[in-house]
PDB file of all heavy atoms in Angstrom:
ATOM      1  N   SER B  18      16.612  -4.406   3.287  1.00 77.00           N
ATOM      2  CA  SER B  18      16.713  -5.862   3.248  1.00 77.00           C
ATOM      3  C   SER B  18      15.486  -6.438   2.565  1.00 77.00           C
ATOM      4  O   SER B  18      14.368  -6.095   2.908  1.00 77.00           O
ATOM      5  CB  SER B  18      16.809  -6.436   4.664  1.00 77.00           C
ATOM      6  OG  SER B  18      17.911  -5.913   5.331  1.00 77.00           O
ATOM      7  N   LEU B  21      14.713 -10.667   6.208  1.00 94.00           N
ATOM      8  CA  LEU B  21      15.388 -10.583   7.494  1.00 94.00           C
ATOM      9  C   LEU B  21      14.912 -11.749   8.347  1.00 94.00           C
ATOM     10  O   LEU B  21      13.704 -11.958   8.507  1.00 94.00           O
ATOM     11  CB  LEU B  21      15.046  -9.256   8.163  1.00 94.00           C
ATOM     12  CG  LEU B  21      15.640  -8.987   9.536  1.00 94.00           C
ATOM     13  CD1 LEU B  21      17.148  -8.892   9.443  1.00 94.00           C
ATOM     14  CD2 LEU B  21      15.064  -7.704  10.133  1.00 94.00           C
ATOM     15  N   ILE B  23      15.231 -13.508  12.164  1.00 96.00           N
ATOM     16  CA  ILE B  23      15.682 -13.304  13.532  1.00 96.00           C
ATOM     17  C   ILE B  23      15.084 -14.382  14.433  1.00 96.00           C
ATOM     18  O   ILE B  23      14.129 -15.065  14.053  1.00 96.00           O
ATOM     19  CB  ILE B  23      15.305 -11.910  14.069  1.00 96.00           C
ATOM     20  CG1 ILE B  23      13.780 -11.763  14.145  1.00 96.00           C
ATOM     21  CG2 ILE B  23      15.923 -10.805  13.238  1.00 96.00           C
ATOM     22  CD1 ILE B  23      13.366 -10.529  14.926  1.00 96.00           C
ATOM     23  N   LYS B  27      14.006 -11.556  20.054  1.00 97.00           N
ATOM     24  CA  LYS B  27      14.922 -10.485  19.680  1.00 97.00           C
ATOM     25  C   LYS B  27      14.163  -9.306  19.087  1.00 97.00           C
ATOM     26  O   LYS B  27      12.975  -9.400  18.780  1.00 97.00           O
ATOM     27  CB  LYS B  27      15.943 -10.995  18.652  1.00 97.00           C
ATOM     28  CG  LYS B  27      16.790 -12.146  19.149  1.00 97.00           C
ATOM     29  CD  LYS B  27      17.711 -11.711  20.258  1.00 97.00           C
ATOM     30  CE  LYS B  27      18.659 -12.848  20.630  1.00 97.00           C
ATOM     31  NZ  LYS B  27      19.552 -12.472  21.757  1.00 97.00           N
ATOM     32  N   THR B  28      14.861  -8.195  18.928  1.00 97.00           N
ATOM     33  CA  THR B  28      14.277  -7.014  18.294  1.00 97.00           C
ATOM     34  C   THR B  28      14.591  -7.012  16.803  1.00 97.00           C
ATOM     35  O   THR B  28      15.754  -7.123  16.408  1.00 97.00           O
ATOM     36  CB  THR B  28      14.818  -5.718  18.930  1.00 97.00           C
ATOM     37  OG1 THR B  28      14.405  -5.657  20.288  1.00 97.00           O
ATOM     38  CG2 THR B  28      14.298  -4.486  18.191  1.00 97.00           C
ATOM     39  N   ALA B  29      13.554  -6.882  16.016  1.00 96.00           N
ATOM     40  CA  ALA B  29      13.724  -6.764  14.561  1.00 96.00           C
ATOM     41  C   ALA B  29      13.800  -5.287  14.210  1.00 96.00           C
ATOM     42  O   ALA B  29      12.989  -4.487  14.687  1.00 96.00           O
ATOM     43  CB  ALA B  29      12.553  -7.408  13.835  1.00 96.00           C
ATOM     44  N   THR B  30      14.762  -4.941  13.370  1.00 96.00           N
ATOM     45  CA  THR B  30      14.887  -3.549  12.915  1.00 96.00           C
ATOM     46  C   THR B  30      14.890  -3.524  11.395  1.00 96.00           C
ATOM     47  O   THR B  30      15.749  -4.126  10.759  1.00 96.00           O
ATOM     48  CB  THR B  30      16.175  -2.901  13.443  1.00 96.00           C
ATOM     49  OG1 THR B  30      16.127  -2.879  14.870  1.00 96.00           O
ATOM     50  CG2 THR B  30      16.304  -1.472  12.918  1.00 96.00           C
ATOM     51  N   LEU B  31      13.916  -2.833  10.837  1.00 97.00           N
ATOM     52  CA  LEU B  31      13.785  -2.714   9.394  1.00 97.00           C
ATOM     53  C   LEU B  31      14.045  -1.266   8.999  1.00 97.00           C
ATOM     54  O   LEU B  31      13.693  -0.342   9.728  1.00 97.00           O
ATOM     55  CB  LEU B  31      12.376  -3.119   8.946  1.00 97.00           C
ATOM     56  CG  LEU B  31      12.021  -4.616   8.939  1.00 97.00           C
ATOM     57  CD1 LEU B  31      12.027  -5.207  10.335  1.00 97.00           C
ATOM     58  CD2 LEU B  31      10.676  -4.825   8.263  1.00 97.00           C
ATOM     59  N   THR B  32      14.641  -1.091   7.821  1.00 96.00           N
ATOM     60  CA  THR B  32      15.070   0.233   7.394  1.00 96.00           C
ATOM     61  C   THR B  32      14.349   0.662   6.122  1.00 96.00           C
ATOM     62  O   THR B  32      14.126  -0.152   5.219  1.00 96.00           O
ATOM     63  CB  THR B  32      16.586   0.234   7.131  1.00 96.00           C
ATOM     64  OG1 THR B  32      17.262  -0.224   8.291  1.00 96.00           O
ATOM     65  CG2 THR B  32      17.085   1.620   6.761  1.00 96.00           C
ATOM     66  N   TRP B  45       3.990   2.786   7.865  1.00 96.00           N
ATOM     67  CA  TRP B  45       4.411   1.383   7.804  1.00 96.00           C
ATOM     68  C   TRP B  45       3.170   0.494   7.770  1.00 96.00           C
ATOM     69  O   TRP B  45       2.203   0.731   8.505  1.00 96.00           O
ATOM     70  CB  TRP B  45       5.286   1.023   9.000  1.00 96.00           C
ATOM     71  CG  TRP B  45       6.684   1.564   8.881  1.00 96.00           C
ATOM     72  CD1 TRP B  45       7.129   2.779   9.304  1.00 96.00           C
ATOM     73  CD2 TRP B  45       7.803   0.897   8.298  1.00 96.00           C
ATOM     74  NE1 TRP B  45       8.460   2.922   9.007  1.00 96.00           N
ATOM     75  CE2 TRP B  45       8.911   1.777   8.396  1.00 96.00           C
ATOM     76  CE3 TRP B  45       7.997  -0.350   7.698  1.00 96.00           C
ATOM     77  CZ2 TRP B  45      10.176   1.453   7.931  1.00 96.00           C
ATOM     78  CZ3 TRP B  45       9.259  -0.684   7.231  1.00 96.00           C
ATOM     79  CH2 TRP B  45      10.336   0.210   7.353  1.00 96.00           C
ATOM     80  N   SER B  83      13.737   6.051   7.826  1.00 95.00           N
ATOM     81  CA  SER B  83      12.868   5.619   8.910  1.00 95.00           C
ATOM     82  C   SER B  83      13.303   4.234   9.337  1.00 95.00           C
ATOM     83  O   SER B  83      13.632   3.386   8.493  1.00 95.00           O
ATOM     84  CB  SER B  83      11.407   5.591   8.457  1.00 95.00           C
ATOM     85  OG  SER B  83      10.583   5.053   9.470  1.00 95.00           O
ATOM     86  N   LEU B  84      13.320   4.017  10.651  1.00 97.00           N
ATOM     87  CA  LEU B  84      13.583   2.697  11.200  1.00 97.00           C
ATOM     88  C   LEU B  84      12.321   2.187  11.879  1.00 97.00           C
ATOM     89  O   LEU B  84      11.643   2.931  12.578  1.00 97.00           O
ATOM     90  CB  LEU B  84      14.721   2.757  12.219  1.00 97.00           C
ATOM     91  CG  LEU B  84      16.075   3.233  11.695  1.00 97.00           C
ATOM     92  CD1 LEU B  84      17.097   3.259  12.843  1.00 97.00           C
ATOM     93  CD2 LEU B  84      16.571   2.348  10.568  1.00 97.00           C
ATOM     94  N   PHE B  85      12.039   0.905  11.654  1.00 97.00           N
ATOM     95  CA  PHE B  85      10.857   0.255  12.209  1.00 97.00           C
ATOM     96  C   PHE B  85      11.336  -0.888  13.083  1.00 97.00           C
ATOM     97  O   PHE B  85      12.060  -1.775  12.610  1.00 97.00           O
ATOM     98  CB  PHE B  85       9.984  -0.262  11.064  1.00 97.00           C
ATOM     99  CG  PHE B  85       8.768  -1.026  11.479  1.00 97.00           C
ATOM    100  CD1 PHE B  85       7.628  -0.367  11.898  1.00 97.00           C
ATOM    101  CD2 PHE B  85       8.747  -2.414  11.430  1.00 97.00           C
ATOM    102  CE1 PHE B  85       6.491  -1.072  12.267  1.00 97.00           C
ATOM    103  CE2 PHE B  85       7.618  -3.124  11.790  1.00 97.00           C
ATOM    104  CZ  PHE B  85       6.491  -2.447  12.209  1.00 97.00           C
ATOM    105  N   HIS B  86      10.982  -0.843  14.362  1.00 98.00           N
ATOM    106  CA  HIS B  86      11.448  -1.839  15.317  1.00 98.00           C
ATOM    107  C   HIS B  86      10.267  -2.654  15.841  1.00 98.00           C
ATOM    108  O   HIS B  86       9.219  -2.089  16.165  1.00 98.00           O
ATOM    109  CB  HIS B  86      12.123  -1.164  16.516  1.00 98.00           C
ATOM    110  CG  HIS B  86      13.225  -0.227  16.154  1.00 98.00           C
ATOM    111  ND1 HIS B  86      14.528  -0.636  15.967  1.00 98.00           N
ATOM    112  CD2 HIS B  86      13.212   1.117  15.947  1.00 98.00           C
ATOM    113  CE1 HIS B  86      15.269   0.427  15.667  1.00 98.00           C
ATOM    114  NE2 HIS B  86      14.508   1.496  15.646  1.00 98.00           N
ATOM    115  N   ILE B  87      10.471  -3.955  15.946  1.00 98.00           N
ATOM    116  CA  ILE B  87       9.520  -4.825  16.651  1.00 98.00           C
ATOM    117  C   ILE B  87      10.295  -5.450  17.799  1.00 98.00           C
ATOM    118  O   ILE B  87      11.234  -6.222  17.582  1.00 98.00           O
ATOM    119  CB  ILE B  87       8.966  -5.943  15.744  1.00 98.00           C
ATOM    120  CG1 ILE B  87       8.346  -5.370  14.475  1.00 98.00           C
ATOM    121  CG2 ILE B  87       7.938  -6.780  16.516  1.00 98.00           C
ATOM    122  CD1 ILE B  87       7.883  -6.445  13.487  1.00 98.00           C
ATOM    123  N   THR B 118      10.110  -5.618   3.120  1.00 95.00           N
ATOM    124  CA  THR B 118      11.079  -6.523   3.727  1.00 95.00           C
ATOM    125  C   THR B 118      10.318  -7.701   4.310  1.00 95.00           C
ATOM    126  O   THR B 118       9.380  -7.510   5.087  1.00 95.00           O
ATOM    127  CB  THR B 118      11.868  -5.835   4.850  1.00 95.00           C
ATOM    128  OG1 THR B 118      12.620  -4.754   4.312  1.00 95.00           O
ATOM    129  CG2 THR B 118      12.804  -6.822   5.539  1.00 95.00           C
ATOM    130  N   LEU B 120      10.054 -10.391   6.826  1.00 96.00           N
ATOM    131  CA  LEU B 120      10.576 -10.740   8.155  1.00 96.00           C
ATOM    132  C   LEU B 120      10.131 -12.149   8.530  1.00 96.00           C
ATOM    133  O   LEU B 120       8.943 -12.465   8.452  1.00 96.00           O
ATOM    134  CB  LEU B 120      10.072  -9.750   9.199  1.00 96.00           C
ATOM    135  CG  LEU B 120      10.424 -10.068  10.647  1.00 96.00           C
ATOM    136  CD1 LEU B 120      11.927  -9.956  10.880  1.00 96.00           C
ATOM    137  CD2 LEU B 120       9.661  -9.155  11.610  1.00 96.00           C
TER     138      LEU B 120
END
Side-chain angles (χ1 to χ4, degrees):
Chain B
S18 302
L21 179 65
I23 64 168
K27 300 293 186 182
T28 296
T30 298
L31 285 65
T32 305
W45 284 89
S83 174
L84 299 179
F85 177 80
H86 306 273
I87 305 175
T118 297
L120 174 67

